């Protein structure tokens, strides 16, 4: 199953908002009563609940040892769904915001060495990983690409703090990242961690598919493209705990069918990227369409993200 931490939810106060790079701001949240923030590990994210219908996930990029605040960095996306524009334009220091999490679907696993590959704002979940790998004395390096040098948040600090380990490759100066060369230089037992836009993730998945000796971990900020041959047929689902059997119609999601039946099930992104709606599969074979589970985890067919995934069999049985 996808890894996760116990999820907390409550109001937190914005105690800082600072420009980091072109189109990127850092936002720091703290307990309004002065208490400690929830513990977290590298790779974790939080849900920022803007309103009842608008929830956005942002990776934590601060220091897990700092229990006074949670820090995220947000790229302004003019053609996005509005969450980043709200954070850039409307969110102010002193505001109270509902936060859920932290939750971790992108854990840093033990490895002989590490290659971290970031594209743009994808640097955010990798920052605590770099810090942890360096503190542990691990062999690691970071390949960091972006549109322009001015758009690459944390770039100067990374180069100064970790001389010789960080390679910056602004696209307007260097072109696309040379993933093949970076992967060719790796030794056996290397963990490769990548976060960034979909073209980068697709490219590195293709590069790693037939390579032995490396283990690839990716995190997506947006849902994978829907397969061209995907079929949204109706199917039945037995909800074992609830004692109900429901039909998921061709025009609705499994999550919506579960909620329609009166069964309470947690959810957040509705895009298969956050892991909140993960459910245990007791019988049947899911049609996995999420961006959380790895290919190996999907092949185990013991869990699924019910907000986007469907069924390959006429019936599924879930532990709901």
């Amino acid at each position: 199953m996808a890894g996760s931490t116990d999820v907390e939810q409550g109001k937190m106060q914005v105690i800082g908002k600072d420009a980091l790079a072109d189109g990127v701001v850092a936002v720091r949240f703290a307990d309004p009563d002065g208490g400690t923030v929830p513990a977290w590990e590298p790779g974790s994210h939080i849900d920022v609940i803007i309103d009842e219908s608008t929830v956005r996930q942002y990776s934590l990029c601060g220091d897990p040892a700092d229990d006074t605040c949670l820090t995220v960095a947000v790229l302004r996306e003019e053609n996005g769904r509005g969450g980043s524009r709200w954070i850039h334009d409307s969110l102010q220091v002193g505001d109270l915001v509902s936060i859920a999490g932290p939750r971790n679907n992108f854990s840093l696993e033990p490895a002989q060495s590490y290659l971290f590959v970031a594209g743009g704002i994808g640097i955010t979940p990798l920052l605590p990983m770099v810090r942890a790998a360096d503190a542990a004395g691990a062999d690691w390096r970071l390949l960091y690409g972006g549109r322009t040098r001015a758009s690459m948040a944390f770039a100067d600090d990374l180069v100064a703090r970790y001389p010789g380990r960080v390679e910056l490759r602004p696209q307007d100066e260097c072109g696309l990242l040379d993933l093949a060369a970076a992967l060719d230089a790796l030794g056996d037992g290397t963990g490769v961690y990548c976060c960034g836009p979909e073209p980068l993730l697709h490219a590195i998945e293709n590069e790693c598919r037939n390579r032995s000796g490396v283990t690839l971990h990716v995190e997506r900020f947006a849902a994978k493209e829907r397969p061209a041959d995907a079929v949204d047929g109706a199917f039945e689902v037995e909800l074992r705990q609830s004692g109900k059997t429901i039909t998921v119609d061709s025009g609705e999601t499994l999550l919506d069918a579960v909620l329609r039946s009166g069964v309470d099930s947690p959810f957040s992104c509705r895009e298969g990227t956050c892991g909140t709606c993960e459910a245990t599969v007791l019988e049947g074979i899911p049609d996995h369409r999420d961006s959380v589970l790895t290919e190996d985890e999907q092949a185990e067919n013991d869990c699924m993200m019910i907000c986007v995934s469907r069924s390959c069999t006429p019936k599924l049985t879930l532990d709901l």
Side-chain angles (χ1 to χ4, degrees):
M1 291 190 181
S4 63
T5 58
D6 292 335
V7 176
E8 302 183 30
Q9 181 171 340
K11 292 284 188 180
M12 300 196 79
Q13 188 168 38
V14 179
I15 62 168
K17 182 180 177 183
D18 304 291
L20 292 179
D22 287 352
V24 180
V25 295
V27 181
R28 289 180 290 126
F29 300 97
D31 186 319
D33 298 320
T36 60
V37 297
W40 60 280
E41 297 178 347
S44 298
H45 68 267
I46 57 172
D47 293 354
V48 177
I49 303 168
I50 298 172
D51 56 43
E52 289 185 0
S53 62
T54 309
V55 181
R56 298 292 181 265
Q57 290 75 41
Y58 297 108
S59 296
L60 293 171
C61 58
D63 183 353
D66 181 0
D67 63 4
T68 66
C69 68
L70 299 174
T71 303
V72 299
V74 180
L75 171 68
R76 182 186 182 94
E77 298 186 69
E78 295 294 348
N79 297 320
R81 295 170 297 160
S84 67
R85 294 196 300 275
W86 177 82
I87 287 177
H88 276 253
D89 297 342
S90 301
L91 189 66
Q92 302 294 327
V93 172
D95 287 353
L96 291 176
V97 181
S98 292
I99 302 291
R103 184 183 298 107
N104 197 349
N105 301 316
F106 193 42
S107 300
L108 183 65
E109 306 292 342
Q112 295 293 322
S113 57
Y114 297 97
L115 172 65
F116 301 106
V117 182
I121 199 63
I123 189 63
T124 51
L126 302 183
L127 288 173
M129 294 186 180
V130 164
R131 183 182 290 110
D134 195 70
D139 179 21
W140 67 271
R141 73 185 189 93
L142 168 66
L143 179 61
Y144 181 12
R147 292 179 292 103
T148 65
R149 193 174 295 270
S151 71
M152 297 168 66
F154 308 104
D156 292 340
D157 180 62
L158 284 164
V159 171
R161 182 175 298 186
Y162 307 113
R165 291 186 179 269
V166 178
E167 183 179 357
L168 301 182
R169 305 288 293 179
Q171 187 175 343
D172 63 339
E173 300 174 23
C174 309
L176 297 176
L177 296 178
D178 190 346
L179 298 177
L183 294 167
D184 286 343
L186 301 180
D188 287 348
T190 301
V192 179
Y193 286 78
C194 182
C195 186
E198 185 59 30
L200 171 62
L201 301 183
H202 183 69
I204 201 166
E205 285 173 335
N206 284 339
E207 285 288 344
C208 288
R209 186 159 285 120
N210 297 315
R211 291 177 185 266
S212 60
V214 300
T215 303
L216 176 64
H217 309 262
V218 302
E219 182 167 61
R220 285 177 158 85
F221 289 144
K224 287 182 180 178
E225 280 192 27
R226 175 186 168 91
D229 57 352
V231 177
D232 290 351
F235 57 98
E236 284 193 343
V237 179
E238 177 187 347
L239 307 177
R240 181 67 56 84
Q241 286 188 36
S242 306
K244 296 183 178 183
T245 297
I246 61 175
T247 297
V248 181
D249 294 329
S250 59
E252 69 177 340
T253 66
L254 173 49
L255 171 63
D256 285 338
V258 168
L259 297 176
R260 172 170 54 78
S261 75
V263 174
D264 187 26
S265 182
F267 66 92
S268 179
C269 72
R270 287 185 174 269
E271 293 187 328
T273 59
C274 74
T276 306
C277 68
E278 180 178 331
T280 299
V281 178
L282 302 176
E283 297 177 20
I285 301 175
D287 177 7
H288 295 288
R289 301 184 185 181
D290 67 275
S291 303
V292 176
L293 300 173
T294 66
E295 290 183 2
D296 288 342
E297 288 171 336
Q298 289 184 347
E300 292 175 2
N301 289 323
D302 62 357
C303 67
M304 66 186 298
M305 306 303 154
I306 65 173
C307 68
V308 292
S309 298
R310 301 184 70 81
S311 182
C312 295
T313 49
K315 182 178 179 181
L316 287 174
T317 301
L318 302 181
D319 190 21
L320 289 174

